[in-house]
Amino acid sequence: MADFSKLYYYKPHRPNGSPVHIRADLCIYGATPAGIAAAVQASRMGVKAVIAEFGGRIGGMTASGLGRTDIGSKEAIGGISREFYRTLGSRYGSDEPDGSAWAFEPHAAEEVFAGWLEKADVPVYFRQQLAAADMKNGQIVTLTMENGNTFEAPMFIDATYEGDLLALAGVSYHVGREGNAVYRETLNGVHFGHPKHQFYAWVDPYVREGKPDSGLLPGISDAAPGFQGEGDKSVQAYNFRICLTNVPDNRIAFPQPPDYDPGRYALLARYIRAGVWDALKLNKMMPAGKTDLNNHGAFSTDHIGANYDWPDGDYATRERLFQDHFRYNLGLLYFLANDESMPERVRGEARQWGLPADEFESTNGWPHQLYVREGRRMIADVIMTEHHCRRYETVKDPVGLAAYTMDSHNCRRIVLDGRCVNEGNVEISPTGPYPISYRAIVPKESECGNLLVPVCLSSSHIAYGSIRMEPVFMILGQSAATAAVHALEQGCRVQEVDYEKLRKRLLLDGQILA
């Protein structure tokens, strides 16, 4: 059995015997693409930035398997974000008009980010788990980590996928799906009817078909269906964006995961017997014979319903869920490639692929970052909603553009009229790029005056599904850092930054605002 002991989200760290105290002008929590873009921008503006990273790697999802960039509109991507894709383009010999590359290997993205941070002289402190935030007069003064390290700065950015710093600072947020009535939307809350990633054949959900008293197969909830547009605490499904390869010399056959249970895939087996085989169809090719495997179809890599405790969960809870998602995803691949109940054509197709030996070498080719598609979402003075995505409303203080489909993966797998159905998938185009408000990346002034939030920004569930793309996070990270520097220069709270001055600097630095 392969050794995955180095694959983890969290291990408790005892306090250092000699903890360090770090001072900077700007402290960024999270070495995600947003955090890295923020650090680079701050450095270019002459400000000393430091990154405290929860895990052990930089680059977030962009350097952890999400190699086929979700874009929406290339023309909407500017600034440091576009610079990143052009840098990769020069590496791969892009044939795009401006030299950008939108498909890349995980290690290539990580190397670009590492080079940027080195050039910007931005230190990154790894395995920094937040324990406390010292607040004074509505502002963060110092962050204390579990290992005893402390970070002091006049300005902070929360660049995590979960919004851990904003929560610790007492900033208002929401988890789950708002009902449509909250913001007068049409695509929020419980959502039935979207045909994609749904069961295309009738599949009996019970352990013994036709026998409800035999119990439900693994992965199916007995929750009531609810009604269209009703709010709940469900969170769209997570998975790993798994980098695979079909190059024999670089291919590691899918190993059996720890605590492997083929029974977890009984529903998938039943679905395949019903005639549908599409679980591995979303193999988007990248350079060097690698793919970016994502969820596809009714039963695939999305671990539907298994992530509800992640956004507000403590670190131990998240570690348990991380390992469960890992075992589920690797177990799925192992099952498809090896289980004798699978037709030979299915096993043969699965065996064409394997984990890449030249990626994520310390974890046997498995990516280190769980795809947290949605965590906490801040509640600020402006909340981005479906109205903004559809351009029924337009903000007056843009700090970047989004353009991707209003996209939610499935949130629940339930029983409806005796059959198994997925619920929550939405994929509706916003019909073009739209601006994101500066007031959506800063908290209410009454809550915190020196924090910016470019990832877990103020947004409804359905609007966040459009905004939550890695290029947009980089755009917002750069804009957040620019605003932080201006707040330092003006000696004011982030809510009081002169927007016209901010806008001019963003345009000067290549951001696209309209």
Side-chain angles (χ1 to χ4, degrees):
M1 184 177 292
D3 179 12
F4 289 102
S5 61
K6 294 182 180 179
L7 180 70
Y8 62 91
Y9 167 80
Y10 169 74
K11 286 185 178 179
H13 285 72
R14 295 180 179 178
N16 294 335
S18 53
V20 296
H21 182 71
I22 298 96
R23 291 186 179 89
D25 299 316
L26 173 63
C27 177
I28 301 162
Y29 191 58
T32 61
I36 293 168
V40 170
Q41 177 67 11
S43 174
R44 291 176 179 178
M45 296 180 71
V47 162
K48 180 183 178 183
V50 62
I51 296 178
E53 161 58 27
F54 185 94
R57 306 285 287 269
I58 64 170
M61 285 304 302
T62 296
S64 188
L66 206 168
R68 291 286 295 199
T69 308
D70 296 314
I71 304 167
S73 173
K74 297 174 184 177
E75 292 74 20
I77 301 170
I80 288 173
S81 185
R82 192 53 170 249
E83 185 180 335
F84 172 75
Y85 297 105
R86 286 175 178 155
T87 302
L88 286 166
S90 65
R91 179 178 185 135
Y92 288 115
S94 170
D95 57 5
E96 289 272 333
D98 75 338
S100 296
W102 306 101
F104 46 86
E105 299 161 274
H107 74 268
E110 189 170 25
E111 287 169 5
V112 171
F113 286 139
W116 280 6
L117 292 173
E118 182 179 7
K119 183 178 180 180
D121 194 26
V122 175
V124 181
Y125 293 81
F126 293 105
R127 301 295 177 193
Q128 303 300 311
Q129 285 88 35
L130 272 174
D134 179 26
M135 306 288 294
K136 185 176 181 180
N137 298 324
Q139 299 201 71
I140 304 168
V141 178
T142 305
L143 302 180
T144 302
M145 306 299 167
E146 283 190 347
N147 61 11
N149 290 347
T150 51
F151 292 79
E152 180 183 347
M155 286 288 154
F156 291 84
I157 289 177
D158 183 343
T160 65
Y161 292 115
E162 293 87 0
D164 285 346
L165 177 51
L166 75 87
L168 202 59
V171 172
S172 299
Y173 65 88
H174 185 80
V175 173
R177 301 182 288 185
E178 300 93 347
N180 274 328
V182 175
Y183 302 121
R184 297 188 175 184
E185 297 174 297
T186 67
L187 298 173
N188 213 336
V190 171
H191 193 88
F192 291 100
H194 196 91
K196 200 170 182 182
H197 307 304
Q198 188 54 266
F199 286 92
Y200 294 144
W202 183 290
V203 182
D204 190 293
Y206 304 112
V207 174
R208 294 196 302 277
E209 295 191 46
K211 302 290 185 182
D213 59 356
S214 66
L216 295 170
L217 290 174
I220 305 174
S221 168
D222 61 359
F227 58 86
Q228 192 84 347
E230 179 182 11
D232 65 10
K233 292 297 184 182
S234 299
V235 178
Q236 62 174 305
Y238 301 168
N239 67 348
F240 285 88
R241 288 292 282 260
I242 311 166
C243 183
L244 302 180
T245 182
N246 59 5
V247 178
D249 291 344
N250 194 36
R251 183 178 61 201
I252 302 172
F254 300 127
Q256 180 176 312
D259 303 318
Y260 172 65
D261 177 10
R264 301 185 84 172
Y265 313 104
L267 179 63
L268 174 60
R270 192 172 287 181
Y271 190 41
I272 291 173
R273 287 196 297 272
V276 184
W277 159 232
D278 61 359
L280 298 185
K281 296 302 181 186
L282 199 54
N283 286 314
K284 294 183 178 179
M285 292 307 299
M286 305 187 303
K290 295 173 185 172
T291 77
D292 170 357
L293 178 65
N294 196 11
N295 181 80
H296 187 273
F299 194 118
S300 184
T301 58
D302 274 2
H303 197 2
I304 300 172
N307 61 344
Y308 301 161
D309 291 336
W310 184 281
D312 267 331
D314 60 23
Y315 301 147
T317 296
R318 290 182 185 170
E319 169 62 14
R320 174 177 56 80
L321 297 179
F322 180 94
Q323 296 298 337
D324 181 54
H325 278 73
F326 159 63
R327 291 192 297 269
Y328 173 82
N329 272 190
L330 180 55
L332 171 69
L333 297 173
Y334 181 82
F335 177 83
L336 291 171
N338 296 282
D339 197 278
E340 293 184 358
S341 70
M342 290 293 95
E344 181 53 42
R345 64 185 180 89
V346 171
R347 283 181 285 166
E349 184 175 332
R351 286 173 180 167
Q352 294 176 24
W353 302 100
L355 303 178
D358 62 347
E359 300 281 357
F360 315 116
E361 294 178 17
S362 66
T363 51
N364 292 287
W366 194 264
H368 51 85
Q369 178 82 48
L370 179 65
Y371 195 0
V372 177
R373 289 190 172 93
E374 180 180 33
R376 301 178 177 97
R377 299 187 308 280
M378 182 168 64
I379 301 174
D381 288 333
V382 168
I383 298 168
M384 300 298 298
T385 69
E386 181 182 341
H387 305 288
H388 298 105
C389 298
R390 294 186 185 273
R391 293 183 289 184
Y392 299 160
E393 295 180 15
T394 304
V395 302
K396 304 299 184 182
D397 55 351
V399 287
L401 301 180
Y404 197 72
T405 298
M406 287 178 279
D407 175 85
S408 173
H409 283 234
N410 281 305
C411 299
R412 299 186 300 162
R413 179 176 287 143
I414 61 174
V415 179
L416 190 62
D417 294 333
R419 63 175 290 195
C420 186
V421 299
N422 292 335
E423 182 274 307
N425 192 80
V426 183
E427 296 176 51
I428 303 293
S429 171
T431 71
Y434 59 91
I436 300 168
S437 172
Y438 175 63
R439 289 164 293 165
I441 68 169
V442 297
K444 297 175 181 178
E445 187 170 1
S446 61
E447 294 183 341
C448 190
N450 67 337
L451 175 66
L452 297 106
V453 185
V455 177
C456 294
L457 72 159
S458 179
S459 170
S460 71
H461 160 76
I462 197 61
Y464 192 77
S466 171
I467 295 169
R468 63 173 182 85
M469 303 302 151
E470 299 282 283
V472 179
F473 289 156
M474 280 190 267
I475 290 167
L476 297 179
Q478 177 181 351
S479 294
T482 307
V485 174
H486 282 194
L488 289 171
E489 293 173 346
Q490 297 168 27
C492 67
R493 290 172 172 258
V494 294
Q495 295 84 2
E496 300 167 341
V497 165
D498 183 334
Y499 173 71
E500 186 57 28
K501 182 178 179 181
L502 173 62
R503 185 185 71 84
K504 289 179 179 178
R505 179 62 195 240
L506 295 178
L507 291 173
L508 180 67
D509 290 335
Q511 292 281 53
I512 299 172
L513 304 182

